């Protein structure tokens, strides 16, 4: 990788912090959702998680010894604004202030994600992302965080994976807030993007030198067979998963065929004049989270009546292809999908900003700090694919963040899946670096002059 390439590791607040009722933090939709019976596979929550709210010094030590240039973490909105807007909770900001200081002291560049799915419950009670007010509150929250951390933080990520916050949370119902809506979920997706645009504007106003991006989870949707029906299914999946987000953000346009896909489900009346200018304002970088390709097969819709359909009900089934290796979670391992994602972006969007891979990683189910040979091959394979994409296409690839520094709370799947370079023993909080951590440390230790 070129000089100046940023090597990092990533986490998210609700997945690692714990301390959900400490120092004035308000409730988030994940505190509520995890109490719903059956919502989380093992019945757990982020109540304690990795206890990083108390053990953050250990995390910073691990990052420093790893030798990374950067750490991507998220700020919990309900720690900063317990009701989502209004009164600022200084104690919540103090936590991130200390963390940022410690990172800067060690020469580790903070990449701050402002929203990694933990919406204040009070805002959900007022309509959540279905309503435009939430987008306005998000922009105000961004300004508050920038006001406190912006003298040391330059790199900001507004949203993590608005696809997941909207479509998995409000349409599929597998994530908080656990709704299965049509129009409401599409409105949520749109308002997330409006919130992104508002936050970009607020951050630029607050900090002249800010570098601002958004992180999208992108998966090439490839037809399971050559049939016309499967090809059409892959196209529908691409619209819902990728282009609903990339077209407005990178192309200042709504995707062709989107209104037809959701005819009868939603009239898209939440779109307003001026939204695309706001959403599509120039960015300093795009964050790409890549995990897998989707092999899409045509499938019957769950509901015949579009008025009763969830926005997830688009008549597509994800299938596993014979001969494609999978992770312990059943996710296909296809580094070439990252190549396709990056080159595809460059092809479709002539003004593509610099790109960071802000997440890429592999989970194992075994609770064993000594087992992770697959992780090294996974990372090496995806790095090679990303480098090939940057060589073959106009992709200005600036960095790679492994997901995750630590084993952590994997949302609806609880604590079973372990993505960490570092094993966490949850009962004691003990952190043990895995072989892949040592492998990466050795690779990074050979470099010179890459620190900021
Ligand atoms: C990321 O999402 C998240 O940003 C991060 O918080 C998370 O820990 C990490 O991935 C690992 O999952 O459950 O097999 O039905 C990645 C996008 C979208 C991937 C939903 C999993 C469900 C597939 N995710 N998808 S499955």
């Amino acid at each position: 990788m070129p000089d100046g390439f940023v090597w990092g590791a990533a986490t998210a607040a609700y997945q690692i912090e714990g301390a959900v009722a400490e120092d004035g933090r308000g409730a988030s939709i994940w505190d509520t959702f995890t109490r719903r019976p059956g919502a989380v596979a093992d019945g757990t929550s982020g109540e304690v998680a990795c206890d990083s709210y108390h053990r953050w010094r250990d995390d910073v030590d691990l990052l420093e010894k790893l030798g990374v240039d950067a750490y991507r973490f998220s700020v919990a909105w309900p720690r900063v604004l317990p009701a989502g807007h209004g009164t600022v909770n200084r104690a919540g900001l103090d936590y991130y202030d200390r963390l940022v200081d410690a990172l800067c002291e060690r020469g580790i560049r903070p990449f701050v994600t402002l929203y990694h799915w933990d919406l204040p419950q009070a805002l959900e009670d007022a309509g959540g992302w279905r309503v435009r007010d939430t987008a306005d509150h998000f922009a105000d929250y961004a300004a508050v965080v920038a006001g406190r951390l912006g003298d040391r933080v330059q790199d900001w990520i507004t949203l993590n994976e608005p696809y997941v916050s909207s479509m998995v949370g409000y349409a599929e119902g597998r994530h908080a807030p656990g709704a299965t809506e049509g129009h409401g979920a599409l409105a949520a997706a749109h308002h997330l993007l409006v919130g992104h645009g508002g936050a970009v504007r607020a951050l630029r106003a607050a900090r002249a030198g800010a570098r601002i991006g958004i992180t999208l989870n992108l998966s090439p949707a490839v037809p399971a067979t050559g049939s016309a029906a499967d090809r059409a299914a892959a196209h529908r999946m691409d619209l819902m998963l990728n282009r609903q987000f990339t077209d407005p953000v990178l192309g200042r346009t709504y995707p062709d065929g989107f209104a037809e896909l959701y005819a009868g489900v939603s009239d898209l009346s939440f779109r307003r004049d001026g939204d695309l200018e706001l959403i599509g304002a120039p960015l300093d970088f795009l964050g790409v989270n890549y995990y897998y390709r989707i092999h899409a097969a045509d499938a019957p819709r769950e509901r015949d009546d579009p008025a009763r359909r969830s926005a997830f009900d688009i008549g597509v089934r994800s299938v596993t292809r014979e001969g494609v290796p999978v992770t312990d979670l059943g996710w296909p391992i296809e580094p070439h999908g990252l190549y396709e994602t990056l080159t595809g972006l460059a092809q479709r969007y002539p003004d593509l900003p610099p790109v960071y891979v802000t997440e890429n990683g592999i989970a194992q189910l075994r609770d064993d700090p000594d087992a992770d040979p697959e992780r090294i091959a996974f990372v090496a394979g995806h790095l090679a694919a990303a480098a090939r994409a940057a060589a073959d296409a106009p992709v200005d690839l600036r960095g790679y963040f492994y997901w995750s520094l630590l084993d952590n709370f994997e949302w609806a799947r609880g604590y079973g899946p372990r993505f960490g370079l570092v094993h966490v023993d949850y009962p004691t909080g003990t952190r043990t670096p895995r072989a892949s951590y040592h492998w990466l440390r050795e690779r990074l230790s050979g470099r010179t002059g890459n620190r900021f």
Side-chain angles (χ1 to χ4, degrees), residues 93-439:
L93 276 169
D94 290 345
Y95 170 68
Y96 300 106
D97 197 77
R98 290 190 293 269
L99 176 61
V100 165
D101 272 348
L103 292 169
C104 292
E105 272 163 28
R106 322 275 180 104
I108 301 166
R109 183 166 144 193
F111 275 62
V112 175
T113 307
L114 288 165
Y115 185 69
H116 202 123
W117 310 351
D118 42 3
L119 185 71
Q121 180 61 42
L123 293 183
E124 178 58 26
D125 296 341
W129 288 109
R130 298 172 195 85
V131 301
R132 191 173 276 261
D133 283 350
T134 299
D136 297 336
H137 294 317
F138 180 65
D140 294 343
Y141 153 67
V144 170
V145 178
R148 182 72 183 272
L149 306 181
D151 55 340
R152 287 149 291 156
V153 173
Q154 252 138 32
D155 300 283
W156 301 92
I157 294 165
T158 55
L159 304 176
N160 179 68
E161 304 186 348
Y163 166 81
V164 177
S165 315
S166 56
M167 305 307 282
V168 182
Y170 289 85
E172 193 183 4
R174 284 202 308 121
H175 279 188
T180 50
E181 299 172 20
H183 179 79
L186 299 171
H190 185 70
H191 292 142
L192 277 151
L193 293 179
V194 171
H196 154 75
V200 171
R201 186 184 278 172
L203 290 167
R204 297 231 187 272
R207 297 288 168 185
R211 292 185 291 259
I212 309 169
I214 185 172
T215 281
L216 303 176
N217 58 303
L218 301 175
S219 286
V222 293
T225 73
S227 77
D230 286 352
R231 285 213 301 274
H235 181 64
R236 292 196 295 280
M237 180 57 93
D238 186 41
L239 282 177
M240 176 179 78
L241 173 62
N242 302 315
R243 294 201 32 219
Q244 180 174 193
F245 303 92
T246 53
D247 273 12
V249 169
L250 302 169
R252 273 194 204 205
T253 176
Y254 296 119
D256 284 343
F258 196 75
E260 292 75 11
L261 175 61
Y262 287 114
V265 176
S266 168
D267 58 5
L268 311 181
S269 55
F270 40 76
R271 292 177 178 176
R272 290 201 194 155
D273 285 351
D275 282 355
L276 282 176
E277 284 63 44
L278 185 69
I279 297 169
L283 294 176
D284 302 297
F285 64 90
L286 173 71
V288 172
N289 291 354
Y290 174 77
Y291 287 90
Y292 49 69
R293 296 206 301 178
I294 290 183
H295 300 272
D298 184 51
R301 287 181 148 97
E302 276 163 39
R303 294 182 187 274
D304 291 332
D305 177 5
R308 297 182 54 231
R309 243 178 233 160
S310 118
F312 195 70
D313 188 7
I314 57 168
V316 182
R317 194 165 45 92
S318 248
V319 300
T320 42
R321 294 283 296 274
E322 217 176 304
V324 177
V326 296
T327 73
D328 280 6
L329 301 187
W331 298 0
I333 303 176
E334 297 183 286
H336 187 65
L338 178 55
Y339 177 91
E340 292 174 317
T341 295
L342 297 176
T343 55
L345 285 168
Q347 233 162 54
R348 189 177 287 280
Y349 306 107
D351 297 327
L352 184 70
V355 174
Y356 291 91
V357 174
T358 42
E359 286 182 30
N360 175 242
I362 181 171
Q364 64 193 62
L365 290 171
R366 262 178 78 191
D367 176 6
D368 180 355
D370 290 330
D372 84 333
E374 272 184 312
R375 187 165 285 112
I376 294 172
F378 186 94
V379 172
H382 286 78
L383 282 166
R388 268 202 312 278
D392 291 356
V395 175
D396 181 1
L397 183 68
R398 295 282 177 93
Y400 174 95
F401 293 74
Y402 180 77
W403 181 273
S404 174
L405 175 68
L406 305 170
D407 290 345
N408 59 46
F409 178 68
E410 179 54 20
W411 308 110
R413 291 183 183 244
Y415 290 97
R418 292 170 174 272
F419 278 92
L421 294 171
V422 176
H423 172 271
V424 176
D425 178 57
Y426 295 112
T428 61
T430 303
R431 284 121 161 92
T432 309
R434 291 197 166 95
S436 49
Y437 173 101
H438 297 297
W439 171 80

